[in-house]
Amino acid sequence: MTGQAGPAALRGGSHRRATRPFAASFAALLVALLPALLMLSAPGAGAADTRAAAKPVVTLSKQQAGKGGEITVKGGGWRPNALLMMLICGRSTPDRGVIGGTNSCANAEGRAVTTDGKGAFRKKMPVAEPPVPCPCVVHVATVTGEQAAADAVFVVAGHPLAALPKETGDGRLAVLATTRLEGESGILTWFGAPPARQLVLTVGNLGSTPVKDPVFEVGTAHGVFAPQWEEQQWRGTIASGRRAQISLPVELTAGAHGDYQVSLRYGGKVLAEQPWGVGRPWGVTLFWILLCLVVPAAVFRIGMAAVDKVRPRSSRAPGRPRRRRPPRRAGTTVKAPKPRRAPGPAEGSAAAPTDGPASTTAALPWFTPDSAPSENRPTTKGHS
């Protein structure tokens, strides 16, 4: 029994020693493949990273067309369900962008398009001549949300061609801190005065030359409409590698209310955007309500007064006639009215004979019938 058990035990021990290296190798291989398995199990994260790394692109069905023609614009790599604006712009290239902003574009013939769930779109648009000479591009940019833009080279047949303006070599400005709007609305704004704020931001000069008295463009947009740009010059010099805090005034039109977006552009590039919620001027509403109440009441009173003046006297309500005092002539005396005789104790009966003093006392005006002495009321002096 023992002789047979020994070889079997030796064979079992050698088998266990042989399987240990295999288990260690399998465990090491599993640890090495674990990150790859985790990445494969999360395809959504990989797709999100791919979308984040992708840049918006624009392609055209034709590279050249004349005015009145039509082209098809395709795009990809945009945000899903984003609202885009397509324009044909002159004096621009994909490298330098649109010089002069949307003022260099044919805005009337622009088209809007919304991307699908994958960030792609396809849209036809007419060919129009921009207000400035070519080189031209088809400029596609987002209208709301995070700013993104892409350009595709396009030639408008028959449109003038001119060289682009030379670069000045000035420094490049970039926003280094979050922008903010400072200021408060006064009581006049509550009654429709133009709302005003100060756009404050910190910019840095990333170029090799200083920037002196830079001219910024401040734009205000309401809803999905394009911003209205206004030039604002900042007085000062920003040296190379330095930063500066800039404050620019922003003012809306009278009675403005709702959601606005303030944008800052320099050198044809949008540097910052800041939302601005403007309250409704309730004072104007209150004024119109009071006006609708006061004006009809005043008109009613004026009309009633006019009717009272033009209607005849016979139609007026009867009342006590008004006595008019005759005019006093010079050198005349006014006679006092005769005093009324006080009624007797019993009206309609024969009056009792009275003496002279009693009748004289009853006729005096400062005595009343109750207080005047009579023969029926004893006095302190007694009867005569």
Side-chain angles (χ1 to χ4, degrees):
M1 297 292 293
T2 58
Q4 294 178 358
L10 291 175
R11 286 195 300 270
S14 62
H15 177 71
R16 285 192 297 269
R17 286 194 298 270
T19 56
R20 286 176 183 174
F22 176 75
S25 301
F26 180 75
L29 182 62
L30 184 61
V31 171
L33 295 178
L34 183 60
L37 294 175
L38 293 176
M39 292 182 63
L40 292 176
S41 62
D49 296 340
T50 304
R51 288 195 300 266
K55 293 183 179 180
V57 293
V58 175
T59 57
L60 307 176
S61 60
K62 299 178 183 179
Q63 299 298 326
Q64 180 177 351
K67 180 181 178 181
E70 191 177 59
I71 59 175
T72 301
V73 184
K74 300 179 183 179
W78 300 83
R79 293 197 322 269
N81 304 320
L83 181 62
L84 309 178
M85 177 62 69
M86 303 186 305
L87 299 170
I88 297 180
C89 304
R91 199 168 60 186
S92 55
T93 60
D95 297 335
R96 296 187 58 179
V98 181
I99 301 176
T102 55
N103 294 330
S104 302
C105 305
N107 298 309
E109 288 76 14
R111 291 294 183 268
V113 63
T114 304
T115 59
D116 56 15
K118 298 181 180 179
F121 70 91
R122 178 189 178 96
K123 182 77 173 181
K124 292 183 178 181
M125 69 176 302
V127 178
E129 294 184 350
V132 294
C134 284
C136 301
V137 298
V138 174
H139 179 71
V140 182
T142 55
V143 178
T144 58
E146 183 180 356
Q147 289 292 321
D151 299 327
V153 178
F154 182 70
V155 178
V156 180
H159 194 63
L161 181 64
L164 295 178
K166 296 182 179 180
E167 296 183 352
T168 59
D170 293 340
R172 295 182 294 110
L173 298 181
V175 177
L176 304 180
T178 306
T179 60
R180 64 184 185 275
L181 291 173
E182 294 184 352
E184 296 180 355
S185 300
I187 188 65
L188 296 180
T189 306
W190 200 68
F191 285 94
R197 292 290 189 275
Q198 291 288 329
L199 180 64
V200 181
L201 69 159
T202 302
V203 298
N205 186 2
L206 305 181
S208 58
T209 57
V211 178
K212 182 179 181 181
D213 298 337
V215 178
F216 297 93
E217 290 180 287
V218 180
T220 55
H222 183 50
V224 298
F225 296 98
Q228 301 293 328
W229 300 99
E230 181 182 358
E231 291 186 353
Q232 299 282 351
Q233 186 174 17
W234 182 76
R235 299 291 181 179
T237 302
I238 306 175
S240 177
R242 298 291 183 179
R243 64 176 64 185
Q245 187 177 24
I246 295 177
S247 178
L248 300 173
V250 182
E251 185 176 1
L252 303 178
T253 58
H257 63 277
D259 295 330
Y260 284 80
Q261 187 168 354
V262 181
S263 304
L264 180 68
R265 189 168 64 181
Y266 178 74
K269 181 180 179 182
V270 178
L271 300 181
E273 291 183 340
Q274 180 67 28
W276 184 8
V278 184
R280 183 181 294 273
W282 292 107
V284 179
T285 306
L286 180 62
F287 170 77
W288 285 110
I289 292 175
L290 294 177
L291 189 65
C292 293
L293 295 176
V294 172
V295 171
V299 172
F300 177 76
R301 291 180 64 89
I302 294 174
M304 293 302 294
V307 169
D308 188 63
K309 280 194 174 288
V310 300
R311 68 179 178 176
R313 292 179 175 271
S314 60
S315 62
R316 296 183 182 179
R320 187 175 181 179
R322 190 174 182 181
R323 292 187 177 182
R324 294 186 178 181
R325 180 177 297 178
R328 181 183 298 180
R329 297 180 181 179
T332 59
T333 57
V334 179
K335 296 182 179 180
K338 295 181 179 182
R340 294 183 180 181
R341 181 184 179 189
E347 196 69 29
S349 59
T354 57
D355 298 335
S359 60
T360 305
T361 304
L364 292 178
W366 54 82
F367 285 100
T368 61
D370 297 334
S371 61
S374 63
E375 61 181 3
N376 297 330
R377 180 179 300 176
T379 59
T380 55
K381 296 183 179 181
H383 294 283
S384 57

